[in-house]
Amino acid sequence: MIIKSLIVAGYESEAPGTILAYRAPPGGIAAFSAATVNLDAAWQVLYRTTDSFGNASATVTTILIPHNADYTKLLSYQVAEDAADPNCAPSYAFQKSAATDGALGLILPQAELLLIETALARGWVVTVPDHLGPKSTFLANNLSGHAVLDNVRAALASSKFTKISTDPTITLWGYSGGSLASGFAAELHASYAPELKIAGAALGGTVPLILPVINQTNKGAFTGLIPAGIMGLSNEYPSIAQLLQEYLLPAKKAEFNKAASKCLTGDIIEYLGQDVYSYVSDPGIFETPAALQVLNANNMGQHAPTIPLLVYKSINDEISNVTYTDDLVSYYCNAGTSVEYKKDYLSEHGTMAVLGAPDAIMWLEDRMRGVPVDSKCTTSSTFTSLLDPNTLVLLGEVLVNSLLDLLGAPVGPIMIG
Ligand SMILES: *[C@@H]1O[C@H](CO)[C@@H](O)[C@H](O)[C@H]1NC(C)=O
Ligand SMILES: *[C@@H]1O[C@H](CO)[C@@H](O)[C@H](O)[C@H]1NC(C)=O
Ligand SMILES: *[C@@H]1O[C@H](CO)[C@@H](O)[C@H](O)[C@H]1NC(C)=O
Ligand SMILES: *[C@@H]1O[C@H](CO)[C@@H](O)[C@H](O)[C@H]1NC(C)=O
């Protein structure tokens, strides 16, 4: 946790996005906390943002600058941190020798460095906010949306030391938990940060509604998302902390509370196949007015973005049924948002993060190059697999980059034939 030591008194009165402090990451940036990512430069920037109640908060972003950077292209990449422990945040997880909750604890945010490297290989400057904020308020999506928009503001204000252009082409990208932060940023953009010119957002593995995820993941591989999400919300909302006080069975409290000090992989292992309702005195807990108020406030579909979107989603997604994303896309399209919606038959939630990445990169590249979007919405259903030439070319690049990492070779356009 780098926040507490750097925070300055009176920061609350600064404008959202104001840089409060910055430094080079003390540990250096590393893939899987071992293989150094050979960047031209990296920065950790502490900036002022806004929580779910409109109060001042502060969080950190990690700015990654490749060799031969194109300082006019800025991607804000939101990782799927999905945890209630602040030590799972990318500003920590991306550093060499980072370790939270054992050897596997940080694997998931770290694995996304491989996707981030495909963006760095294009010369884009990539900024990766700790979008769950200082208390790791997983599912407090209003706060996450603010944290993303303010991290872009902070990146624009960082030109003096990062050399990022003051008027770059800006895009957003995130999968699953990262799509919630990116999606809320897109939804809140017009009201919270209308001065930002954002060329588009790629949202994969979307999870528009929270409540249905609970029963869909209960007693399964992803049950750990439930305690992580409820604990994350209780870190932000006193009403949820109160609900847990009332409903958690005393004998099960300690085990449930373990989610406060685990990252996503640890949560998945800890709660694998468990019945989350065995922890509470009444299965109605998630449908009480107090719970519904908070869950609804953090569902997507509150505002239609005014920036173009790519939405990509597995038809077999086992965490959030594709029908909820169909509904979200319809709502956006009816309200005038330009959405390219890609549904895929040959994947599920986990594999789509990788299989969908090449399409996302190509779409983001078009936005970076200023290719106009279709003003109408389009939907396509595809069979994405490793045999798709685009997937092969672009995933090949991902793997090449991870190998280059292991060899410590420079990451930048010059290395990509
Ligand atoms: C945040 O804002 C709310 C409502 O505006 C206020 O009641 C509350 O005390 C604030 N919390 C903090 C920690 O400042
Ligand atoms: C989820 O499952 C619980 C326990 O079986 C049940 O009580 C509840 O009504 C279900 N909720 C929804 C939204 O389907
Ligand atoms: C989310 O944040 C916006 C400010 O960006 C605020 O106006 C709105 O009330 C918030 N919504 C909820 C449901 O908390
Ligand atoms: C999604 O919901 C539809 C309709 O309720 C159902 O037919 C389908 O099997 C569900 N998909 C998955 C992957 O659970």
Side-chain angles (χ1 to χ4, degrees):
M1 274 301 290
I2 65 175
I3 295 203
K4 289 194 184 91
S5 60
L6 292 177
I7 207 118
V8 273
Y11 82 94
E12 296 90 342
S13 57
E14 302 287 351
T18 300
I19 295 175
L20 305 173
Y22 65 93
R23 66 180 185 186
I29 300 294
F32 302 110
S33 55
T36 304
V37 181
N38 210 333
L39 296 156
D40 188 52
W43 300 96
Q44 290 176 335
V45 176
L46 178 72
Y47 61 97
R48 194 266 200 214
T49 187
T50 305
D51 72 8
S52 307
F53 313 105
N55 295 338
S57 184
T59 190
V60 173
T61 189
T62 305
I63 299 179
L64 303 170
I65 299 171
H67 292 285
N68 302 304
D70 178 348
Y71 294 100
T72 69
K73 296 189 169 56
L74 178 69
L75 170 69
S76 181
Y77 186 95
Q78 284 60 248
V79 301
E81 182 182 339
D82 299 7
D85 179 349
N87 291 320
C88 309
S91 65
Y92 176 69
F94 286 180
Q95 290 188 77
K96 209 167 183 172
S97 310
T100 299
D101 188 29
L104 292 177
L106 294 171
I107 282 287
L108 281 174
Q110 291 174 351
E112 289 189 79
L113 254 187
L114 298 183
L115 294 182
I116 289 169
E117 284 179 29
T118 58
L120 294 169
R122 290 176 152 62
W124 304 345
V125 176
V126 182
T127 172
V128 187
D130 292 354
H131 62 77
L132 299 185
K135 295 180 288 184
S136 208
T137 48
F138 174 34
L139 295 184
N141 298 321
N142 195 283
L143 170 146
S144 290
H146 296 151
V148 173
L149 294 165
D150 287 325
N151 120 92
V152 173
R153 285 172 162 155
L156 299 186
S158 73
S159 300
K160 268 200 310 277
F161 58 95
T162 59
K163 297 188 255 167
I164 296 173
S165 151
T166 50
D167 188 21
T169 305
I170 301 160
T171 55
L172 313 177
W173 185 14
Y175 192 85
S176 193
S179 78
L180 281 170
S182 311
F184 265 73
E187 289 198 13
L188 295 175
H189 164 240
S191 60
Y192 185 77
E195 84 284 6
L196 293 178
K197 284 181 277 164
I198 300 177
L203 313 176
T206 33
V207 186
L209 304 181
I210 301 174
L211 183 62
V213 174
I214 298 176
N215 284 7
Q216 196 156 347
T217 58
N218 194 33
K219 301 191 209 168
F222 292 102
T223 305
L225 286 171
I226 309 171
I230 301 303
M231 196 59 74
L233 286 171
S234 80
N235 289 345
E236 179 79 342
Y237 294 90
S239 60
I240 298 296
Q242 177 64 31
L243 209 60
L244 287 178
Q245 281 291 345
E246 287 168 23
Y247 283 79
L248 272 184
L249 295 169
K252 304 280 275 184
K253 207 169 235 173
E255 181 149 12
F256 192 88
N257 287 342
K258 283 184 182 172
S261 50
K262 290 195 174 295
C263 301
L264 176 54
T265 312
D267 283 316
I268 286 174
I269 294 168
E270 180 73 34
Y271 301 100
L272 195 69
Q274 290 195 25
D275 181 2
V276 81
Y277 293 103
S278 71
Y279 285 80
V280 292
S281 56
D282 179 347
I285 174 175
F286 303 121
E287 286 157 274
T288 55
L292 288 178
Q293 192 206 5
V294 169
L295 296 181
N296 292 340
N298 291 291
N299 284 336
M300 296 181 75
Q302 323 224 8
H303 312 277
T306 53
I307 60 171
L309 303 180
L310 169 71
V311 175
Y312 56 105
K313 177 82 180 172
S314 166
I315 285 168
N316 310 310
D317 193 297
E318 71 278 37
I319 288 180
S320 174
N321 193 301
V322 69
T323 56
Y324 303 124
T325 295
D326 294 345
D327 293 345
L328 179 71
V329 169
S330 300
Y331 161 69
Y332 285 167
C333 292
N334 289 334
T337 310
S338 163
V339 185
E340 188 171 328
Y341 184 24
K342 294 204 163 182
K343 304 205 266 186
D344 182 63
Y345 288 103
L346 281 188
S347 56
E348 37 69 57
H349 189 83
T351 52
M352 189 61 180
V354 180
L355 291 172
D359 269 341
I361 292 161
M362 287 186 290
W363 188 88
L364 290 165
E365 180 138 309
D366 281 348
R367 302 294 76 75
M368 290 295 200
R369 289 181 19 229
V371 176
V373 288
D374 216 321
S375 63
K376 287 200 299 289
C377 287
T378 58
T379 298
S380 56
S381 300
T382 52
F383 293 89
T384 309
S385 80
L386 287 168
L387 299 177
D388 183 316
N390 287 331
T391 311
L392 263 187
V393 169
L394 282 141
L395 282 190
E397 205 177 295
V398 171
L399 295 180
V400 166
N401 279 334
S402 73
L403 288 173
L404 287 177
D405 259 353
L406 293 170
L407 299 171
V411 173
I414 201 159
M415 296 305 297
I416 302 302

